[in-house]
Structure formats: C-alpha cells, structure tokens
Amino acid sequence: MKRCAVLISGGGSNMLTLVRDMTGDHPARPVLVLSNNPDAGGLEKAASLGVPTAVVDHRPFGKDREAFENKLNEVLEATKPDIICLAGFMRVLTPVFVNRWSGRILNIHPSLLPKYPGLATHKRAIEAGDTEAGCTVHEVTDVLDGGPVIGQAKVPVLSDDTPESLAARVLTQEHRLYPMVLRRFAAGERAPVVLSMDAESPIN
Ligand code: GAR
C-alpha cells in the first residue's frame, strides 16, 4: 500500500476527492494533509474524515524558502510518504525540495499545460479567445508547472464565460481527473489520460 500526503492551501476540494477515493482496492492511503495556511478550510474537512493534519505556516519564514521547506520536509519525512499530491498548494517549491521527492510529487493545475503556467489561468484563456480550457495533472519537476503531463481534462469555453464560471466548470473536471490519475500513478501507471466532458480515452 502506497502512503500519500496531500498538500493544500485552501478549501481542499481536490484533496477531498483524493482522500475519499483512497479506500478499498485503491493502491494508496492518505497519511497526512499538510497546509501552509493555518486557516485552510480543507484542514477541518480532512480531520473529519480521520486523516492526520499538520500546518507549516510559511509566513514566519519570510523570504527564507529553504527554512520553510526544511520544516516542511521534517513534517513530511515523519510520515514517510511514497507520493505527495499538491492540491491547491499555492507556494512555489524550490528545486532542492522537488529533487528531494523526485518522481513522487504530483500537482493539479487549472489549465491545459503547457498553456498558462502560473496564476489567473481562466482569465488568460478567456482573454486569448480559447474555445477549450481544462486542467492538467503533472509530475512536479524544478520547472514551474512544467513536469511530464500524466492527465488532462478538457472543457469548452462558452461565449459568456467569466473567469469564475470557467473555473467552476474546470473544477468539476479536476474532481474527476485527479483521483483517476492518482489511482493509476499509485499502481505504477504513467501513461497519460485525457478526459473530455462526455468521454474518457487513454492516449496511445
Ligand atoms: C484548484 O482549481 C487547483 O487546480 C488550483 O487551485 C484550486 C484549489 O482548489 N491550483 C493552482 O492554481 C496551483 N497553481 P481546492 O483547494 O478546492 O482543491
């Protein structure tokens, strides 16, 4: 059984879909939900599902990312995770941290990477006139939002979309995609999956 830690910063809706899926024949189990934000709503939700939680507040560390990540590593290492899922974790991780957990970190990003790494993805997709948007699960490397893609889900962009309406449509698909990719990843499967709103098909 693989041990999975989930890192969050906010509401944790993706974390919840992952935690809820990790039962029965799933090859992984949640061992920790860790937040850099003491007020993250996801912490209580995880605790209510019986998952251990921890907080490493980044603010006391100021600009000292290394010290923040040392503390993060200390807490993570105590739980010996095989897989770390970033799920709305809004701190950029340094190459030192990423290389420490190389091959074991996944992230979900609300765009069809390589389009729109970074922030404000939905606004940027609308402003660019894109007709399609979506989300990506990728392995985390030292290139921001640039690691190998292991799953994408696509949604249409509608003519009257706002960043908020598009974000909501994409989030629904994040909740389908991330659990599916984690299940496969924990079983050793790295071939990318692509989901559309009405069908799913592995890429050959
Ligand atoms: C999700 O849309 C996720 O893709 C995004 O933050 C949201 C978190 O929601 N992540 C990023 O933007 C990472 N750069 P959640 O807390 O409800 O899962």
Side-chain angles (χ1 to χ4, degrees), residues 5 72 75-76 128 146 173 196:
L72 214 53
V75 174
L76 279 170
Q173 298 306 305
S196 63

Side-chain angles (χ1 to χ4, degrees), residues 23-110:
T23 65
D25 65 356
H26 196 294
R29 289 291 181 270
V31 294
L32 180 69
V33 169
L34 175 54
S35 176
N36 65 300
N37 169 14
D39 300 323
L43 286 168
E44 259 183 43
K45 296 173 195 162
S48 74
L49 292 175
V51 181
T53 62
V55 174
V56 179
D57 191 343
H58 63 280
R59 289 170 299 187
F61 296 99
K63 290 197 161 88
D64 192 348
R65 284 186 191 271
E66 190 186 335
F68 167 64
E69 290 183 353
N70 284 343
K71 186 68 193 166
L72 214 53
N73 271 330
E74 197 181 293
V75 174
L76 279 170
E77 277 161 9
T79 65
K80 302 192 180 351
D82 301 299
I83 302 170
I84 297 173
C85 289
L86 309 183
F89 184 70
M90 303 307 281
R91 304 302 298 171
V92 173
L93 295 165
T94 70
V96 174
F97 181 93
V98 168
N99 291 332
R100 160 73 183 81
W101 300 100
S102 170
R104 285 184 276 173
I105 317 184
L106 303 182
N107 179 44
I108 188 153
H109 183 76

Side-chain angles (χ1 to χ4, degrees), residues 8-16 42 45 86-91 107-111 117-122 135-136 144-145 167 170-171 174-175 178:
I8 64 170
S9 297
S13 69
N14 276 291
M15 174 277 294
L16 278 181
K45 296 173 195 162
L86 309 183
F89 184 70
M90 303 307 281
R91 304 302 298 171
N107 179 44
I108 188 153
H109 183 76
S111 77
L119 299 174
T121 54
H122 306 299
C135 53
T136 303
L144 180 69
D145 297 327
V170 170
L171 189 63
E174 295 185 38
H175 296 162
Y178 210 177

